Amino acid sequence: MKENEADRQVELSREATLEAVLFAAGNPLPLASLAAIMDCEEPDVVELARDLQAKLTSEGSGLTVQRVAGGYQLVTRPEAYATVERLSQVTDRHLSAPTMETLSIIAFKQPITKPEIEQLRGVRVERALAKLLELDLICELGRKQVIGRPILYGTTATFLRCFGLDSLDDLPQLPDVPEQPGQPGQADGPEEPAEPSPGGGSAQHENEQHE
């Protein structure tokens, strides 16, 4: 009996082993980590991932291998999204349109400060930033070396995973659209128009008191 089990393990292909590792991991695994787990060189992992992706595609599998956030991840195929989406009944983690707009600005303009975001959107963004920080889609990158030293925000590896991006270089190019002053973005519910602050982010706490 033990010999049969050993034979089955030997017969397991390298692609199948990689598939099992990615399935068990769930989150993207860096190339270096995969090489250590698979006990091979990094170029070998790249080739194995390519072979596994081709195998899954040829078999008509609902899964595929995707390079995300600098690593590899086993994900569902886009064609299955409509069905897989029914698994999730959680609505409180969905982003509102104003929060998504704030995230888009951060993604394309990072590093960027709260006053700079508010200048682009035309509204206060405290709640949007708090939601994005809670979901680990953005993080603090430091402080801008200007008066008031406002916090700089940027996106995270979680952002890359959620949007299926390998790096920020995969973001689509923005069209060249002339700015139209006087047309602020949609407010986050009862948010009020932002007031310019000479001290950068120094007016943040004062604004928060009015929410």
Side-chain angles (χ1 to χ4, degrees):
M1 184 65 177
K2 292 183 178 179
E3 291 181 358
N4 292 335
E5 291 178 357
D7 290 341
R8 284 197 295 269
Q9 290 179 357
V10 171
E11 292 171 0
L12 193 63
S13 67
R14 297 285 285 171
E15 292 85 356
T17 303
L18 177 61
E19 181 180 7
V21 169
L22 293 176
F23 176 82
N27 290 328
L29 283 176
L31 184 57
S33 297
L34 278 172
I37 294 170
M38 297 293 295
D39 192 22
C40 62
E41 300 296 327
E42 292 186 6
D44 296 330
V45 174
V46 175
E47 185 176 353
L48 280 172
R50 190 182 301 116
D51 292 343
L52 175 57
Q53 184 176 18
K55 172 179 174 289
L56 293 172
T57 300
S58 64
E59 293 177 349
S61 173
L63 302 175
T64 187
V65 178
Q66 187 173 13
R67 190 170 176 87
V68 179
Y72 286 98
Q73 185 178 23
L74 195 64
V75 300
T76 55
R77 293 186 61 84
E79 295 86 347
Y81 174 76
T83 302
V84 174
E85 188 182 25
R86 298 173 195 159
L87 284 172
S88 175
Q89 301 299 323
V90 180
T91 58
D92 59 349
R93 293 182 66 87
H94 290 177
L95 297 181
S96 66
T99 303
M100 181 63 77
E101 182 181 344
T102 299
L103 178 59
S104 299
I105 291 173
I106 295 172
F108 284 100
K109 299 291 187 180
Q110 62 184 302
I112 187 170
T113 66
K114 172 180 168 288
E116 291 168 342
I117 299 170
E118 290 178 336
Q119 183 177 10
L120 290 171
R121 287 205 52 208
V123 296
R124 291 164 49 191
V125 295
E126 283 90 349
R127 287 190 299 162
L129 289 177
K131 184 66 174 178
L132 294 171
L133 286 167
E134 175 190 344
L135 297 177
D136 192 34
L137 292 172
I138 64 171
C139 64
E140 297 180 4
L141 299 179
R143 291 184 177 271
K144 192 169 185 178
Q145 298 304 310
V146 296
I147 297 176
R149 301 184 71 242
I151 296 172
L152 288 165
Y153 293 97
T155 53
T156 63
T158 301
F159 167 82
L160 295 177
R161 290 199 301 270
C162 290
F163 290 88
L165 303 173
D166 184 31
S167 69
L168 293 176
D169 293 335
D170 295 330
L171 286 170
Q173 294 294 324
L174 288 175
D176 295 328
V177 179
E179 294 184 2
Q180 298 180 0
Q183 296 184 0
Q186 183 180 1
D188 290 349
E191 283 188 347
E192 302 172 0
E195 297 181 0
S197 171
S202 59
Q204 176 176 353
H205 297 297
E206 179 181 350
N207 288 338
E208 288 176 344
Q209 295 175 358
H210 296 288
E211 285 193 327

